[in-house]
Amino acid sequence: MKIGIIGCALVGFADEVKLRSDELVFKAAKAALDQAGLTREDLDVSVITSLDAYDGITISNGLMAPGAGGYEKDATRIQGGGVGAIMSACASILSKSSRIAIVAGADATMFDDPIVSNAGYDAFFRRPLGMFNQAGYGLFAASLLRDRGITEKDFAALAARNYRAAAQNPNAHRKKSYSVDEILESPMAFWPLRQLELAPVSKGGAALVLAVEEKAKELSREPVWVTGIGGGSNPYYGAWSDLVDLKGLKHACRKAYSMAGIKDPAAEIEAVEIHNPFAPFEIPVCEALGLCQKGQALDLLLGDKKLVNTSGGTLGTNPPACGGYFRTIQAVECLQKNGRAGRAVVQDSDINLGFFGETYHVLVLEKAGV
């Protein structure tokens, strides 16, 4: 049984938005349903992505679920960046408890990112040290310099590549293209990462409509198929080697690729949307996804040998609650519009909260005829 994506919509993205989260969800959900030729009455289940700390209220899905058509419907709330919610909707369809599902989420509330991410670290060892997400990114980036022979100029080149793509993306938050020199001249944030090598916090909303195979074929001429899903987590009290090896992501890849029948990802995957809240994170992620051998990711990325983050990636747009939806929708558009791409992978995680205990999700998408 295959699952088709038959409608999707984005609202935003910017530093701030005037609409509330429920209004953003309603606007995105309505547009996605209209694209699919459906109404709220056609839905069997709605899945909301939210995190109370990002939304400023408790049980925030209670506010957003009705906006996504969840009133008097089965509704689920998933914490994370979005692909976890897509997995939940797929599970509902694969179990035959639903035929049509919507996933939606939004980011609207301003919050203190260091304080929120610090709370994600364990209360005994790392939280009292003041650890938070961007400080962790700096430590990870420093390990890449030490262990891979990569330079700070390489980091800037990766960031510049993302900004060039974001400048061409009407849906992106940051739309300005920066040169390598401009990035290297930006203020140091957390060595060796500069400010322009770190993702913003984006506000906006997104929604996707998914359907069981026969309904997808009935409702859409060109559905994009979800053929593989997988999830995995790093140990909460793990060693540094667990973190930099991305064991949770590798586990998620094995599950998703097995489900999709992918045996040689480097040969079988043409496009990928990566959650890269700091520029060089694309390097270990490409390796963990099996797109190249260890030590070859920089050449793959800077040589444009794969369609990696054609949306501009997370450096261009980084909504913490619905970022996985954004990346999935961008991957869908890449498959529909780019003749080079027949199969795409979306990588998502909750490392907007920081490292250790982070959860990774992987989604395999295919267009008809692959």
Side-chain angles (χ1 to χ4, degrees):
M1 181 193 298
K2 290 193 293 187
I3 297 167
I5 297 174
I6 59 173
C8 50
L10 296 169
V11 182
F13 288 87
D15 289 319
E16 296 184 45
V17 290
K18 294 181 179 179
L19 298 178
R20 300 191 312 265
S21 57
D22 57 323
E23 294 172 322
L24 287 167
V25 164
F26 173 79
K27 192 171 181 178
K30 178 69 165 58
L33 285 168
D34 287 347
Q35 186 181 99
L38 300 171
T39 67
R40 188 192 80 85
E41 285 69 28
D42 297 305
L43 293 174
D44 297 311
V45 64
S46 68
V47 185
I48 297 295
T49 302
S50 69
L51 182 64
D52 293 347
Y54 293 151
D55 298 324
I57 57 173
T58 57
I59 321 176
S60 52
N61 63 304
L63 180 68
M64 289 186 276
Y71 180 69
E72 293 188 337
K73 302 274 187 178
D74 289 342
T76 303
R77 181 240 192 183
I78 300 293
Q79 178 176 304
V83 172
I86 295 173
M87 288 176 61
S88 177
C90 288
S92 178
I93 293 172
L94 291 171
S95 68
K96 300 184 179 180
S97 6
S98 67
R99 292 166 60 80
I100 298 174
I102 191 167
V103 295
D107 293 275
T109 305
M110 302 298 291
F111 60 88
D112 191 317
D113 192 31
I115 294 294
V116 170
S117 58
N118 171 257
Y121 283 87
D122 74 88
F124 299 103
F125 299 102
R126 300 183 181 97
R127 197 184 304 171
L129 291 175
M131 280 294 298
F132 65 102
N133 52 6
Q134 292 187 349
Y137 303 159
L139 291 173
F140 197 113
S143 74
L144 292 175
L145 289 180
R146 182 188 66 236
D147 301 335
R148 305 292 187 90
I150 300 167
T151 68
E152 293 180 49
K153 189 172 183 179
D154 293 329
F155 290 180
L158 291 171
R161 188 185 65 83
N162 277 267
Y163 286 125
R164 285 195 298 272
Q168 303 299 314
N169 182 0
N171 296 311
H173 172 185
R174 286 175 170 170
K175 295 186 177 71
K176 182 178 178 181
S177 182
Y178 294 93
S179 69
V180 171
D181 288 340
E182 286 175 317
I183 293 165
L184 288 172
E185 290 168 2
S186 67
M188 187 67 70
F190 297 92
W191 185 87
L193 296 175
R194 292 166 170 81
Q195 285 187 2
L196 287 176
E197 293 165 341
L198 293 166
V201 176
S202 308
K203 307 301 179 185
L208 298 98
V209 180
L210 297 92
V212 70
E213 185 173 0
E214 61 269 22
K215 290 297 292 184
K217 289 179 177 178
E218 174 189 326
L219 294 165
S220 176
R221 291 182 179 179
E222 294 182 335
V224 169
W225 302 107
V226 178
T227 57
I229 52 177
S233 296
N234 272 7
Y236 192 56
Y237 288 101
W240 184 259
S241 58
D242 294 324
L243 189 159
V244 297
D245 193 46
L246 301 181
K247 290 184 177 179
L249 176 55
K250 290 178 179 177
H251 178 81
C253 284
R254 287 193 295 271
K255 292 290 186 180
Y257 292 169
S258 175
M259 184 175 176
I262 293 175
K263 300 186 184 301
D264 184 357
E268 298 177 56
I269 296 167
E270 293 82 32
V272 60
E273 284 289 329
I274 289 172
H275 181 208
N276 60 320
F278 57 106
F281 195 56
E282 287 179 323
I283 293 171
V285 170
C286 281
E287 294 172 355
L289 291 174
L291 301 181
C292 61
Q293 296 296 317
K294 188 172 182 178
Q296 297 178 356
L298 197 63
D299 182 54
L300 178 143
L301 290 162
L302 297 181
D304 290 325
K305 295 180 179 179
K306 296 277 185 187
L307 298 167
V308 181
N309 281 349
T310 57
S311 67
T314 316
L315 290 188
T317 312
N318 183 36
C322 64
Y325 298 146
F326 177 85
R327 284 181 284 282
T328 301
I329 292 170
Q330 297 302 293
V332 167
E333 290 187 359
C334 182
L335 289 174
Q336 291 173 334
K337 298 177 181 179
N338 196 309
R340 288 175 57 190
R343 184 181 283 111
V345 166
V346 181
Q347 173 267 324
D348 195 20
S349 68
D350 56 2
I351 58 171
N352 276 311
L353 287 172
F355 285 112
F356 294 106
E358 70 274 15
T359 296
Y360 297 93
H361 296 114
V362 172
L363 191 69
V364 180
L365 304 175
E366 296 179 9
K367 63 184 177 186
V370 175

